[in-house]
Amino acid sequence: MLSALLIMALGAVVLGAALGWASIKFKVEGDPLVDKVDAILPQTQCGQCGFPGCRPYATAIAKGEADINQCPPGGEEGIRKLADLLGREFKPLNAEHGVEKPKSVAIIDEATCIGCTLCIQACPVDAIVGAAKQMHTIVAPLCTGCELCLPPCPVNCITMQPIGETVETWKWKYPVIEIKPAEDKKAA
Amino acid sequence: MMRELFNFHGGVKPETNKAQSTREPIVVAPLPPHLVVPLHQSIGGTPHPLVQAGERVLKGQRIGAADGNVSAAVHAPTSGKIVAVEPRVMAHTSGLAMLSVVIEPDGEEAWMPLYPSNYRSMQPDEIRDTLRDAGVVGLGGAVFPSHLKLKGARDKRMTLILNGAECEPYITCDDMLMRERAQDILRGAQIMRHMLGAQDVLIGIEDNKPEAAQAMREAARALGERMDVVVVPTRYPAGGAKQLIRVLTGIEVPHGSRSTDYGVQCFNVGTAYAIHETLNLGRPLISRIVTVSGNVERPRNYEVLFGTPMSHLVKLAGGRPDTDRTIMGGPMMGYLMPNPDVPVVKATNCVIAGSRAMFPPPPPEMPCIRCTACVDVCPADLQPHEMYWFARAKNFGKAQEYHLFDCIECGCCAYVCPSHIPLVDYYRFAKTEIWARERDKAAADSARERFEFRTFREEREKEEKAAKLAAKTAAGRQTAEKKAVPAAAPAGDALQAAAAAAQAEGTVATPSAPPQPATADLSAPVAAETAPAADPKKALIEAAIERARKQREAVSPKNTDNLSDAKRAEIAEIEARRAKIREMAKTHDEDGAS
């Protein structure tokens, strides 16, 4: 009886020590779920979700404080991916946070720009170059299309321009559903 | 000498349809009214235009400069006037427009001054630059800049393979080129051999082109070069680079590596001819041989300037009235053109006029029955039915696991599919979709990095500012302390005096407590405050505030003297309004804060 108790107690102590050691040795820094969620988010840093950037939103989602349908640039596909990752139900995009728009870049009308640097301060990814009282311009490949530079501009010289398809970015269409002409329909 | 030939897996034997277009020799196509030369004609960066509308150009003049090393220049195919530099519809299935140079030929065909060069006296880098600036790219269809492939390996025995297999139905441009210009092709091969340091040169030709093989053998004999013409069995796609390498050398280039790693480099015969023209004659690449076949009265091969509309060629060959489509390339791997007027580009080896009767619409697609007929014919040793399954389900990760990107889109699988599934369309869809996702991912990652750096920079700037401020106040304090200490010194021993003063202040508030005589009304409160707090800093601050207050009181605005009553009333009114606004702002701030 006593030996059995001792053996069990010893076992508990050894296993407890092993677990304790493992929890220190293999401690995971940060929340891996946040990284996974953050990887899905489009990184426009636009703040339309109500959080100051993609990572804070990812943190909120991981904690369960925010819903998964608050990211308009990520669109429906992004919500689907989040739903898959988190094992939640798919929801349509919350219209409160905006609507899904085609991917765009901001364009500064350089003739109107007065060089106030306000848009430079607003740009979350440093995609605008210029100096005080000098013309500003947007480095288009770096622009995420977040529209954060639009409200601060005092002369409204920034416009959003949708990115068109080029021969390099053109995609073959999904070949499954073929749209058939009306005559075929009649025959069928 | 008979060579041992090897075999590649799979392949099909479709009807070749080559005889129609080999009956007549190559002829130079007459000038069209306009040439539309797209700037982006090869893999790599888009060349930037060097000309403007209204300028006159000479034949062979460079009109687009290579953008970086992975790119090739573009030249004016004839002399004439530049009408426009604007986006025009490309020879691409998408029907999208790309920046093109539109030239109105003057009919004079006036060449630029040509400078033939002796490749034997040139540095390899010099030759590569010449080829890049002459716009030489692979003319087999992949349009990869040739100068990038012409790099010798020091530690390996190199083999140069000239690809004259031309396995795809209808296309005969390489066949005719070999029959008529065999010596020039081999002169180009000499340059390639020199560049690669290749010992062996193999020329692979399918056995349905005996005339071409004969012409090449004779040319090799005439030039006194040791180049082996190897006749390979006719089987589609024997002309694929990896397949031809396998047949000729037995080397199977594994997934993820290139043939150069195994000492083999493969070029199309047309590319060899272009290299000969560039270096030995000084002419840049401005034309190529194009087969015009299909639904036309007189199918044949033309030497065509780049930028010639495809409809112009079809008209020359006598296009039949029921022609309703234009295909660039062959029937297996070719692309349907968005309209018949798109220009001939460097990748155009064949233009097929098609009609409904000639290419009837495929029977409706049926479900995959997993018969694996596609696996039996796949020349890349893939599992097309699995890739189809995952591409259809948009499970792109899995499709990649089945080596989707090793697919050469030869179309053998779709050719044999009993369910008539357009398998290649699924692979093309999946490939472009994966590329688009990779681009998005790269963009998102760079945006994240830039955002994080910006946040870090803002943080750092804030810290630096705070540190600077702290240093400044500390410096200010030190100088102030130095002044304050001698001021407190007359009270005797600093610490004791402070303690005593504190006691005195605490117990009996006598006016005699301040040790110094009240010489100046400013210094009095300083000492008084210093003592009780026993903290010189606080005292200093308060003294400063006091000083400022006194100064403010002492200075009275001069412009308010001698005013009329009306003015005074107005000022009072404004002051009242100001007070109200201040009150409002205060409450607003509080709201904001809460």
Side-chain angles (χ1 to χ4, degrees):
Chain A
M1 177 65 189
L2 191 68
S3 63
L5 276 175
L6 278 174
I7 286 166
M8 292 307 286
L10 190 72
V13 167
V14 168
L15 288 177
L19 281 173
W21 177 79
S23 74
I24 294 162
K25 174 83 183 168
F26 301 113
K27 190 169 166 48
V28 178
E29 289 295 334
D31 191 348
L33 187 61
V34 175
D35 284 336
K36 279 185 195 164
V37 174
D38 195 38
I40 291 173
L41 297 176
Q43 304 302 324
T44 44
Q45 320 292 355
C46 60
Q48 289 182 74
C49 50
F51 293 88
C54 292
R55 190 150 187 104
Y57 179 44
T59 316
I61 291 178
K63 277 188 194 158
E65 288 165 1
D67 225 331
I68 56 171
N69 60 348
Q70 302 182 1
C71 177
E76 208 163 280
E77 202 189 329
I79 299 171
R80 260 180 224 289
K81 278 188 193 159
L82 286 174
D84 273 355
L85 175 72
L86 302 164
R88 293 196 206 163
E89 207 57 39
F90 170 78
K91 288 178 189 173
L93 184 69
N94 191 344
E96 249 176 56
H97 297 278
V99 286
E100 200 178 339
K101 288 179 198 163
K103 206 170 155 15
S104 314
V105 285
I107 304 281
I108 291 179
D109 176 10
E110 289 163 355
T112 322
C113 174
I114 54 167
C116 67
T117 75
L118 287 177
C119 57
I120 296 182
Q121 292 162 38
C123 180
V125 291
D126 291 334
I128 307 179
V129 286
K133 292 184 184 167
Q134 307 287 325
M135 179 194 82
H136 301 346
T137 195
I138 288 172
V139 186
L142 301 178
C143 175
T144 63
C146 66
E147 302 188 3
L148 287 181
C149 52
L150 299 188
C153 181
V155 289
N156 286 332
C157 71
I158 310 178
T159 48
M160 299 305 293
Q161 201 146 38
I163 302 173
E165 263 188 330
T166 65
V167 170
E168 279 104 48
T169 59
W170 178 80
K171 294 189 281 184
W172 285 85
K173 300 295 167 280
Y174 189 49
V176 171
I177 298 158
E178 267 187 20
I179 297 162
K180 293 203 171 111
E183 51 183 38
D184 283 19
K185 243 184 209 168
K186 259 184 225 161
Chain B
M1 184 192 75
M2 278 298 286
R3 284 188 75 89
E4 188 199 354
L5 288 183
F6 299 85
N7 202 358
F8 67 90
H9 177 261
V12 293
K13 285 186 177 172
E15 206 172 320
T16 58
N17 281 312
K18 285 177 189 274
Q20 306 87 304
S21 51
T22 55
R23 282 180 291 220
E24 294 190 54
I26 300 170
V27 67
V28 177
L31 277 173
H34 283 99
L35 289 165
V36 180
V37 187
L39 287 168
H40 188 90
Q41 295 195 38
S42 68
I43 287 181
T46 303
H48 34 90
L50 297 172
V51 288
Q52 285 176 338
E55 250 177 78
R56 282 190 54 80
V57 286
L58 290 172
K59 188 172 177 132
Q61 187 179 334
R62 195 141 54 105
I63 53 175
D67 173 42
N69 204 30
V70 188
S71 182
V74 178
H75 302 78
T78 185
S79 59
K81 203 176 117 194
I82 308 276
V83 180
V85 180
E86 61 184 18
R88 289 287 181 102
V89 176
M90 247 304 252
H92 191 269
T93 317
S94 63
L96 291 169
M98 279 201 101
L99 198 61
S100 308
V101 177
V102 186
I103 301 173
E104 194 181 79
D106 56 11
E108 284 167 25
E109 301 268 25
W111 273 94
M112 289 278 289
L114 301 178
Y115 304 105
S117 42
N118 182 2
Y119 67 91
R120 285 179 204 281
S121 62
M122 287 165 83
Q123 293 293 318
D125 273 342
E126 224 179 312
I127 298 181
R128 276 192 280 274
D129 286 352
T130 309
L131 292 176
R132 185 192 64 204
D133 293 336
V136 178
V137 297
L139 295 179
V143 286
F144 187 79
S146 298
H147 64 275
L148 298 170
K149 280 168 80 181
L150 284 169
K151 278 177 191 159
R154 309 227 174 286
D155 51 342
K156 263 190 227 93
R157 188 184 166 87
M158 283 293 285
T159 304
L160 167 66
I161 290 181
L162 276 195
N163 187 345
E166 200 168 57
C167 55
E168 191 156 354
Y170 288 97
I171 308 176
T172 56
C173 60
D174 292 348
D175 186 4
M176 294 309 289
L177 188 73
M178 286 190 286
R179 287 190 203 186
E180 296 185 14
R181 302 175 193 180
Q183 288 208 7
D184 291 343
I185 294 173
L186 296 187
R187 286 194 188 102
Q190 285 175 332
I191 302 172
M192 289 174 169
R193 177 185 238 173
H194 170 77
M195 289 290 287
L196 293 169
Q199 281 86 355
D200 307 316
V201 179
L202 305 176
I203 303 160
I205 302 173
E206 273 191 344
D207 58 11
N208 60 0
K209 293 183 258 301
E211 297 93 336
Q214 190 55 36
M216 293 294 270
R217 271 199 203 99
E218 277 165 17
R221 214 171 296 133
L223 288 177
E225 281 279 343
R226 258 219 63 203
M227 295 181 177
D228 286 348
V229 175
V230 187
V231 174
V232 301
T234 299
R235 182 155 50 109
Y236 180 82
K242 284 191 175 177
Q243 282 67 35
L244 190 67
I245 289 169
R246 172 106 175 114
V247 169
L248 293 179
T249 65
I251 295 170
E252 189 166 349
V253 181
H255 167 76
S257 50
R258 276 174 290 182
S259 61
T260 351
D261 305 341
Y262 298 86
V264 184
Q265 196 60 281
C266 188
F267 287 93
N268 182 266
V269 287
T271 317
Y273 180 74
I275 288 178
H276 155 72
E277 287 233 306
T278 298
L279 288 171
N280 295 340
L281 305 179
R283 290 183 189 169
L285 183 64
I286 54 163
S287 66
R288 66 162 298 153
I289 313 296
V290 178
T291 308
V292 183
S293 190
N295 197 30
V296 292
E297 299 289 348
R298 300 173 296 279
R300 71 184 299 174
N301 282 278
Y302 291 95
E303 180 157 6
V304 185
L305 298 175
F306 299 131
T308 306
M310 290 183 187
S311 54
H312 181 72
L313 295 180
V314 173
K315 212 154 109 202
L316 279 178
R320 298 199 182 102
D322 63 336
T323 301
D324 64 351
R325 74 198 79 177
T326 311
I327 297 161
M328 180 173 104
M332 299 291 279
M333 294 179 72
Y335 298 93
L336 193 66
M337 290 294 106
N339 71 55
D341 299 323
V342 292
V344 167
V345 292
K346 290 177 183 176
T348 313
N349 46 10
C350 180
V351 173
I352 299 179
S355 69
R356 209 179 157 87
M358 202 165 192
F359 301 109
E365 185 182 334
M366 305 284 280
C368 173
I369 55 170
R370 296 179 78 78
C371 64
T372 66
C374 47
V375 179
D376 295 338
V377 296
C378 180
D381 289 291
L382 302 174
Q383 296 186 30
H385 64 296
E386 297 284 5
M387 296 194 315
Y388 154 71
W389 191 251
F390 292 120
R392 193 188 161 100
K394 300 186 185 173
N395 191 346
F396 300 121
K398 269 296 211 198
Q400 265 177 291
E401 274 177 36
Y402 279 89
H403 304 301
L404 175 68
F405 284 99
D406 284 349
C407 169
I408 57 168
E409 300 177 21
C410 65
C412 288
C413 48
Y415 182 77
V416 298
C417 181
S419 289
H420 313 294
I421 301 170
L423 289 157
V424 179
D425 288 358
Y426 283 94
Y427 308 145
R428 283 174 174 165
F429 156 73
K431 281 181 183 177
T432 46
E433 200 65 35
I434 290 167
W435 284 327
R437 271 157 211 236
E438 277 171 2
R439 269 196 306 273
D440 286 353
K441 184 99 188 65
D445 284 347
S446 102
R448 179 188 298 119
E449 213 170 88
R450 295 180 70 78
F451 175 67
E452 273 166 11
F453 179 72
R454 182 190 161 87
T455 327
F456 161 77
R457 193 190 65 216
E458 274 173 355
E459 247 354 65
R460 191 189 62 198
E461 271 167 10
K462 215 184 271 172
E463 263 167 37
E464 276 172 1
K465 222 178 233 173
K468 223 184 245 170
L469 198 69
K472 213 171 168 186
T473 47
R477 228 176 265 145
Q478 262 174 4
T479 50
E481 259 168 37
K482 268 180 205 152
K483 276 183 204 157
V485 167
D493 194 30
L495 268 175
Q496 269 181 4
Q503 256 180 354
E505 182 82 358
T507 48
V508 276
T510 51
S512 62
Q516 306 108 302
T519 46
D521 51 348
L522 281 181
S523 61
V526 178
E529 293 293 323
T530 315
D535 183 1
K537 289 176 200 167
K538 224 174 214 170
L540 274 168
I541 293 167
E542 294 204 350
I545 292 170
E546 188 67 14
R547 255 199 320 272
R549 194 177 58 79
K550 286 223 165 117
Q551 248 168 25
R552 207 163 49 228
E553 278 170 7
V555 178
S556 55
K558 299 250 162 35
N559 60 349
T560 47
D561 302 342
N562 313 322
L563 283 178
S564 64
D565 283 349
K567 279 259 166 69
R568 270 176 217 284
E570 207 175 328
I571 289 169
E573 199 182 312
I574 290 167
E575 284 298 334
R577 209 157 60 218
R578 273 189 187 151
K580 211 159 115 193
I581 289 167
R582 263 188 220 118
E583 197 59 37
M584 271 163 68
K586 219 173 176 183
T587 51
H588 184 78
D589 277 355
E590 275 161 12
D591 284 353
S594 65

